[in-house]
Amino acid sequence: MKAFTYERARSPAEAAATAARIPDAKFIAGGTNLLDLMKLQIEKPAHLIDVNGLGLDTIDATPDGGVRIGALVRNTDLAADTRIKRDYGLLSRALLAGASGQLRNAATTSGNLLQRTRCPYFYDTNQPCNKRVPGSGCAAVGGFSRQHAVVGASDACIATHPSDMAVAMRTLDAQVETIRPDGTARVIPIADFHRLPGDTPHIETVLERGELITAVTLPPPVGGRHIYRKVRDRASYAFALVSVAAIVQADGTGRVAFGGVAHKPWRSSVADRNLPQGAKAVTDTLFAEARATHENEFKLLLAQRTLSAVLLDARI
């Protein structure tokens, strides 16, 4: 691990301003992803800004009947919150499907959204990786690609986003609140938050340098059956091959997002409208431009079958 300096921020605005001012500065909260990457020298921050003491760890009702989740709310606390379990069951189930109890106790809401890919070539510093070293190439292209993206990828990167929570947030139409280094705030729809890789896979979100997530807001609850189903190689401590986050109404309408298939949670309004026509109609729309490899093309059928199982569960 490289040497670094450290400070505790006193306010969100101060944290953002410091991160913008100091080259190679990083925010740290739970550290469940960042510290691992620092040990491997994939992340090499010169300065760490501890944001744990900023009071961003509450879950509050919003005036319109939704919920505002502080950026530092731990995953365990969010999954166990009475309002979340009652009104946003999809989110609670997705959180409990991710990581281990110990990690959920430390991991934060904002950190979950910002966690980096678990692509093995990203973690192997002997391999070329455009996400780790821009312009070095992508060892996954032409390499072992079973876990990788089947849609939304590029010639520069075929990694997937590992978050379960983000897939649920996408289905719930969450919004990400931030503060910029100049002290101004902005709100980013979750649909726009994560970027597709294109030619710059190392730029993973639309956040500006120094911009700090302060909260994630959920709109008023949506009724219907909330279902999160995750298919993985083993029953625990594994990332999704395919995951499905769905809200299904009694008349068959609803909304659905997929994880494990792209660089971001994968959803479209057109596919949502096709939900009453069945799983194939949805997946034919969502994966119309799929670029699967011979090792991961099974994900296309797996996505359809997983959604079929979800829709069957929704009718029970």
Side-chain angles (χ1 to χ4, degrees):
M1 185 182 287
K2 297 286 188 180
F4 58 88
T5 53
Y6 169 90
E7 71 173 276
R8 292 181 178 175
R10 292 174 295 185
S11 71
E14 179 189 87
T18 301
R21 185 180 71 254
I22 299 177
D24 299 321
K26 290 279 185 180
F27 302 121
I28 186 166
T32 57
N33 189 204
L34 177 61
L35 291 176
D36 285 342
L37 295 175
M38 289 173 65
K39 292 173 185 177
L40 294 170
Q41 295 190 27
I42 294 170
E43 292 278 9
K44 304 173 186 177
H47 186 70
L48 289 183
I49 305 166
D50 189 333
V51 295
N52 280 296
L54 301 184
L56 305 176
D57 57 355
T58 62
I59 304 171
D60 304 298
T62 59
D64 66 353
V67 171
R68 186 176 187 270
I69 303 161
L72 300 179
V73 172
R74 266 44 186 183
N75 287 178
T76 294
D77 295 333
L78 183 57
D81 184 84
T82 301
R83 290 163 295 185
I84 298 299
K85 291 196 295 183
R86 182 189 65 220
D87 298 330
Y88 305 94
L90 175 62
L91 177 57
S92 182
R93 295 182 181 99
L95 286 163
L96 293 173
S100 64
Q102 295 94 327
L103 286 172
R104 291 195 297 271
N105 287 343
T108 63
T109 300
S110 59
N112 194 308
L113 289 178
L114 293 172
Q115 64 183 301
R116 307 201 69 187
T117 184
R118 263 54 178 193
C119 172
Y121 298 104
F122 172 73
Y123 274 80
D124 185 349
T125 55
N126 293 312
Q127 298 289 338
C129 173
N130 290 316
K131 189 177 285 293
R132 179 172 22 86
V133 182
S136 64
C138 177
V141 174
F144 183 68
S145 57
R146 183 172 182 271
Q147 295 277 352
H148 288 78
V150 295
V151 68
S154 71
D155 292 337
C157 182
I158 58 172
T160 58
H161 195 276
S163 173
D164 292 286
M165 186 194 79
V167 184
M169 292 285 198
R170 178 68 182 91
T171 309
L172 292 166
D173 289 328
Q175 294 188 314
V176 181
E177 297 182 3
T178 71
I179 187 164
R180 291 170 161 144
D182 64 2
T184 60
R186 72 164 169 161
V187 177
I188 307 166
I190 191 72
D192 301 327
F193 183 76
H194 295 103
R195 290 166 47 106
L196 292 179
D199 296 328
T200 55
H202 60 291
I203 305 175
E204 297 173 338
T205 72
V206 298
L207 293 177
E208 302 168 359
R209 178 178 169 182
E211 192 168 7
L212 175 69
I213 297 174
T214 54
V216 176
T217 56
L218 302 178
V222 177
R225 290 292 302 274
H226 286 223
I227 299 174
Y228 187 77
R229 179 164 294 201
K230 180 178 182 179
V231 181
R232 43 189 162 175
D233 284 327
R234 59 182 188 269
S236 61
Y237 310 135
F239 296 98
L241 290 169
V242 167
S243 64
V244 175
I247 301 174
V248 185
Q249 307 298 331
D251 61 0
T253 61
R255 54 179 78 169
V256 60
F258 285 83
V261 297
H263 211 251
K264 60 189 292 186
W266 203 247
R267 179 186 170 199
S268 85
S269 57
V270 175
D272 284 350
R273 290 195 292 270
N274 289 341
L275 199 59
Q277 300 173 39
K280 188 175 186 303
V282 172
T283 55
D284 282 353
T285 300
L286 275 175
F287 300 109
E289 298 181 6
R291 295 173 55 186
T293 69
H294 70 281
E295 290 181 346
N296 66 17
E297 60 186 357
F298 74 92
K299 285 191 176 188
L300 299 174
L301 183 57
L302 181 60
Q304 180 183 322
R305 289 179 173 175
T306 305
L307 180 56
S308 293
V310 166
L311 295 179
L312 182 63
D313 285 350
R315 299 191 194 104
I316 296 174

